[in-house]
Amino acid sequence: MDMDTWLALEKLVRVSFSDFRSSIESIREEDDVVELKVQNSGTFTNDLDLSSVGMGVIPATGKVVNFPSEFVQVFFDGDKISRVHTLETGAGAGDAGIAGFVKAISEA
């Protein structure tokens, strides 16, 4: 997905999970790449409207959701971020985990 789509979805998630937080479990730097292992969590307090991506509105449950940890690579060009890439780390993480994410928050 392009940067604008990613930023729009990120904003929707942060509105739906009012106390959304990311915890960095590990960090490693090599040349112009920083690799992070990140675990996100939050309370599903507001409906999540994914109609813009054809997934409809998921009603809030008020439950705490702990997302699977995932690895993220951040690429730099000088002192600016040039690209961010989420690595697939198994079922439930990264891009492959979107369906599982929707199911988990729907049942939470």
Side-chain angles (χ1 to χ4, degrees):
M1 87 179 58
D2 65 27
M3 183 64 95
D4 290 336
T5 303
W6 184 85
L7 288 171
L9 288 173
E10 181 75 13
K11 183 178 179 181
L12 291 172
V13 168
R14 290 187 180 274
V15 166
S16 297
F17 294 83
S18 55
D19 62 348
F20 185 85
R21 60 198 165 276
S22 295
S23 299
I24 297 174
E25 297 177 340
S26 66
I27 187 168
R28 183 175 65 87
E29 178 184 358
E30 185 173 320
D31 299 323
D32 291 337
V33 180
V34 175
E35 186 173 283
L36 308 161
K37 183 177 182 186
V38 181
Q39 196 277 321
N40 300 309
S41 60
T43 308
F44 190 19
T45 53
N46 299 301
D47 293 350
L48 179 58
D49 185 356
L50 296 175
S51 353
S52 62
V53 291
M55 299 177 92
V57 176
I58 302 166
T61 62
K63 305 282 182 161
V64 173
V65 178
N66 293 299
F67 302 94
S69 296
E70 61 187 1
F71 287 95
V72 178
Q73 288 180 323
V74 182
F75 296 82
F76 288 85
D77 184 8
D79 62 348
K80 297 188 184 239
I81 294 174
S82 60
R83 183 168 60 108
V84 177
H85 179 71
T86 301
L87 302 172
E88 301 300 332
T89 56
D95 294 338
I98 291 175
F101 162 75
V102 170
K103 182 179 180 196
I105 63 173
S106 297
E107 296 173 351

